[in-house]
Amino acid sequence: MSSADAFPHHAEQIDAVWLTQALRRSGALQEATVTAVDARPVGNGLLGESIRFALQYDRPEPGAPEAVVAKFGSRNESSRAMAAATKIYLREIRFYEEIAPHIATRTPRTHFTAISGDDIDFILLMEDLSPARGGNQLEGCSVEDCRIAVQEIAGLHAKHWGDPSLQQIPWLQGREPVIARQEQMLPAIAQAYRERYAGLLAPEMLSVLDRFVPLYGRMARDRQSPQTLVHGDFRLDNVLFDVHGRLGTMATLDWQTTHIGAALFDVAFFLGGSLPVDERRTHEQDLVRHYLDVLQQAGVKDYGWEACWRDYRRFACRSIVTAVIAPMGVERTARGDQMFMKMMQDHCQQLIDLDALALWS
């Protein structure tokens, strides 16, 4: 449930009393009382912070969680400003409240949700999924992990494929002003990006960036491909494998950028940033075919391989805007620089290999 502003905005405001009340309200706790907590940061979020709370109780209770994870808004002013402008915190809260309970895609169960009236401060108190294997954007993953990932995201896409009711959800609307603002600001942001990372951008990357910038508005507004609910930032830092120690499972986190859009963007963004270039080139089509197979098994009709592969190539191009805009709007960190540069390199090479920008020229 969401509330007004009377909730913990930061980890140090959470104590055993508050956790006991929240877990009892969610039904996760019946008789036991939380007596002590041990708080430790988890994850690599740039637009918020996540804290794992290990719990101690006054008595044993079957099923009582050993730990929970709380996610809060960022303390960095530039990240908070970006969050306010794009309402990404509101999107994540509403996703967990309204959509997550009704989809097959695995997400953490939520125990408590709340967001402030200005949409800047929030809390998500969630199930702890450990032991699990966290995805790592810098390290990449295996082809088998990619198969699990595209299968999981296909379940989300199939559930909402061409669903007109999505247009009736208020918090999923309002992307046009964001697109217009990004389109207007992108040339200046791209120039600032060039200056920040001068010397690290190879000539072929600069060529892709130069070709991409004037095409972005058309890409973002394109509605020729089937529309569905997309994650919008589907990458390794936002997933966990082997949830609760169960091999072959996966959970998807960080739903701040979920929106109505072209399904194949999620797929292209994940594959382009998760596999080493040679492995992507070798397995890319097979993985996209696996995604399409799952879609069709879930009941998606009138969408064949030719259209699917074309959409994959077309919407691989959208990955560049994340690689360019995101690092210029969040707190700068050493890991963030590494991640965004790898993202840019990987996705530029993906676009070159697919000759993807030619489809928008």
Side-chain angles (χ1 to χ4, degrees):
M1 61 176 293
S2 59
S3 71
D5 296 278
F7 60 88
H9 290 192
H10 303 292
E12 56 268 26
Q13 296 173 342
I14 286 186
D15 59 18
V17 173
W18 187 87
L19 283 168
T20 299
Q21 294 172 344
L23 292 174
R24 284 186 177 164
R25 183 178 297 178
S26 75
L29 205 59
Q30 303 300 321
E31 301 293 336
T33 296
V34 180
T35 56
V37 298
D38 178 33
R40 299 189 180 185
V42 292
N44 298 299
L46 293 172
L47 286 168
E49 61 178 11
S50 296
I51 308 294
R52 183 178 185 268
F53 293 89
L55 308 178
Q56 295 181 31
Y57 298 99
D58 65 341
R59 72 191 76 177
E61 181 177 309
E66 296 181 5
V68 291
V69 174
K71 184 172 182 179
F72 306 91
S74 175
R75 303 186 195 220
N76 176 264
E77 288 305 317
S78 60
S79 296
R80 288 168 68 84
M82 173 180 278
T86 56
K87 294 190 177 296
I88 58 174
Y89 295 160
L90 178 67
R91 285 176 181 269
E92 185 160 43
I93 290 289
R94 296 292 179 256
F95 169 83
Y96 277 106
E97 290 178 339
E98 300 177 14
I99 293 180
H102 308 293
I103 58 176
T105 305
R106 182 69 161 92
T107 64
R109 175 192 175 189
T110 56
H111 299 295
F112 183 89
T113 64
I115 189 164
S116 60
D118 59 9
D119 298 335
I120 295 178
D121 291 298
F122 76 98
I123 181 174
L124 279 169
L125 186 67
M126 300 179 286
E127 168 191 15
D128 174 45
L129 299 174
S130 61
R133 177 167 50 91
N136 188 308
Q137 198 74 31
L138 295 176
E139 296 177 1
C141 71
S142 67
V143 172
E144 185 53 39
D145 283 345
C146 283
R147 283 183 64 82
I148 294 168
V150 299
Q151 179 172 314
E152 191 76 2
I153 207 70
L156 173 74
H157 293 170
K159 170 78 174 178
H160 299 282
W161 195 266
D163 182 359
S165 70
L166 293 176
Q167 301 296 336
Q168 308 305 313
I169 301 176
W171 55 270
L172 282 176
Q173 312 312 313
R175 278 186 53 78
E176 177 53 38
V178 175
I179 293 170
R181 185 164 57 250
Q182 289 177 335
E183 185 179 25
Q184 181 181 15
M185 297 174 62
L186 188 56
I189 293 174
Q191 181 57 38
Y193 177 89
R194 280 170 166 268
E195 293 170 3
R196 175 186 288 188
Y197 297 111
L200 299 177
L201 298 167
E204 58 269 24
M205 296 166 64
L206 294 173
S207 176
V208 168
L209 181 58
D210 288 343
R211 293 175 63 193
F212 168 79
V213 169
L215 297 172
Y216 169 67
R218 185 147 57 92
M219 294 177 188
R221 294 185 179 91
D222 183 89
R223 298 293 182 271
Q224 296 180 35
S225 300
Q227 301 291 290
T228 188
L229 188 72
V230 298
H231 182 282
D233 193 21
F234 189 51
R235 56 188 178 84
L236 278 172
D237 278 356
N238 293 337
V239 302
L240 293 172
F241 295 102
D242 303 337
V243 174
H244 292 316
R246 293 193 288 271
L247 298 179
T249 61
M250 192 193 91
T252 306
L253 315 172
D254 292 320
W255 294 86
Q256 296 175 344
T257 53
T258 187
H259 62 278
I260 305 167
L264 273 296
F265 166 65
D266 275 343
V267 183
F269 192 48
F270 189 85
L271 297 184
S274 300
L275 289 172
V277 171
D278 288 344
E279 288 195 24
R280 175 185 54 76
R281 289 169 175 160
T282 300
H283 299 283
E284 196 165 29
Q285 287 201 25
D286 287 343
L287 289 165
V288 178
R289 285 186 184 276
H290 179 57
Y291 166 84
L292 180 60
D293 288 343
V294 176
L295 278 186
Q296 292 175 339
Q297 290 165 13
V300 172
K301 308 294 184 184
D302 302 321
Y303 192 65
W305 170 247
E306 184 175 340
C308 181
W309 182 244
R310 179 179 173 83
D311 284 344
Y312 178 84
R313 293 174 60 210
R314 293 176 77 227
F315 290 100
C317 300
R318 288 281 306 278
S319 305
I320 301 300
V321 76
T322 303
V324 173
I325 290 181
M328 308 307 291
V330 300
E331 179 182 9
R332 189 174 184 184
T333 66
R335 187 186 187 280
D337 277 355
Q338 282 184 282
M339 183 191 73
F340 287 122
M341 187 51 54
K342 181 179 183 299
M343 185 184 295
M344 188 67 170
Q345 292 168 343
D346 288 346
H347 289 296
C348 281
Q349 190 59 57
Q350 184 185 30
L351 266 59
I352 292 168
D353 292 345
L354 296 170
D355 195 19
L357 285 167
L359 297 175
W360 295 98
S361 301

